């Protein structure tokens, strides 16, 4: 029996319980053959003291969606994925609503991966552009 897209999203979000993704209320909302989209509510919980989205929360959203994409689209039966480096360029302030992170692979190598992650607001305005590199390493048999 093949799971529906909705069932897969429910299962993916359930795997985020008791993680930073749950703490920041990050939710995976869509995926396709080569992308993954998550969203995060912009509330005082993720604000800077002056009431706008904290860049660190944006980077956490980007790393979460990028790492999750690597985990989903690679052979995690035999490999584990870790983030190597993240960069974030913040372009616009957001004080409410949601921000959406769409992770797309730029390079999907056997060992290293590079993802482009675009963060947008509710009106599809570009908020941040992030790049995430990940590494896939073999799991050791015990």
């Amino acid at each position: 029996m093949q799971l529906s897209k909705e069932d897969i999203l429910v299962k993916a979000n359930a795997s985020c319980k008791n993680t930073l993704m749950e703490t920041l209320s990050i939710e995976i909302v869509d995926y396709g053959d080569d992308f993954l989209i998550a969203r995060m509510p912009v509330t005082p919980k993720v604000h800077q003291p002056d009431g706008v989205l904290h860049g660190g929360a944006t980077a956490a959203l980007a790393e979460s969606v990028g790492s999750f994409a690597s985990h989903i689209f690679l052979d995690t039966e035999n490999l584990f994925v870790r983030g190597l480096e993240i960069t974030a360029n913040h372009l616009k302030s957001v004080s409410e609503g949601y921000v959406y992170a769409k992770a797309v692979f730029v390079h999907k190598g056997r060992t290293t991966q590079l993802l482009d992650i675009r963060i947008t607001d509710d009106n599809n305005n570009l908020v941040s552009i992030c790049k995430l590199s990940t590494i896939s390493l073999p799991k050791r048999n015990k």
Side-chain angles (χ1 to χ4, degrees), residues 87-103:
T87 62
N89 292 281
H90 307 298
L91 308 171
K92 181 180 183 332
S93 295
V94 178
S95 59
E96 62 184 11
Y98 282 89
V99 284
Y100 299 83
K102 181 176 183 179

Side-chain angles (χ1 to χ4, degrees), residues 15-138:
S15 73
C16 299
K17 189 145 183 68
N18 298 318
T19 68
L20 180 65
M21 291 178 72
E22 182 180 50
T23 300
L24 297 178
S25 302
I26 295 170
E27 174 187 20
I28 299 164
V29 294
D30 198 11
Y31 69 92
D33 290 337
D34 64 348
F35 72 90
L36 185 74
I37 299 174
R39 72 179 182 173
M40 179 177 71
V42 181
T43 64
K45 180 167 68 170
V46 295
H47 281 172
Q48 297 180 31
D50 67 349
V52 298
L53 178 62
H54 193 288
T58 304
L61 170 62
E63 178 138 5
S64 296
V65 72
S67 293
F68 212 96
S70 287
H71 181 80
I72 287 174
F73 295 118
L74 298 173
D75 174 20
T76 53
E77 178 92 16
N78 298 305
L79 303 169
F80 67 91
V81 176
R82 296 292 182 265
L84 287 175
E85 181 179 23
I86 187 164
T87 62
N89 292 281
H90 307 298
L91 308 171
K92 181 180 183 332
S93 295
V94 178
S95 59
E96 62 184 11
Y98 282 89
V99 284
Y100 299 83
K102 181 176 183 179
V104 177
F105 282 96
V106 175
H107 170 73
K108 195 189 304 185
R110 284 182 297 148
T111 305
T112 60
Q113 301 78 43
L114 177 63
L115 295 106
D116 177 68
I117 302 152
R118 304 287 169 129
I119 312 291
T120 56
D121 65 12
D122 283 324
N123 296 315
N124 207 32
N125 295 308
L126 189 59
V127 173
S128 297
I129 298 173
C130 304
K131 297 284 185 205
L132 174 67
S133 59
T134 59
I135 188 167
S136 302
L137 298 170

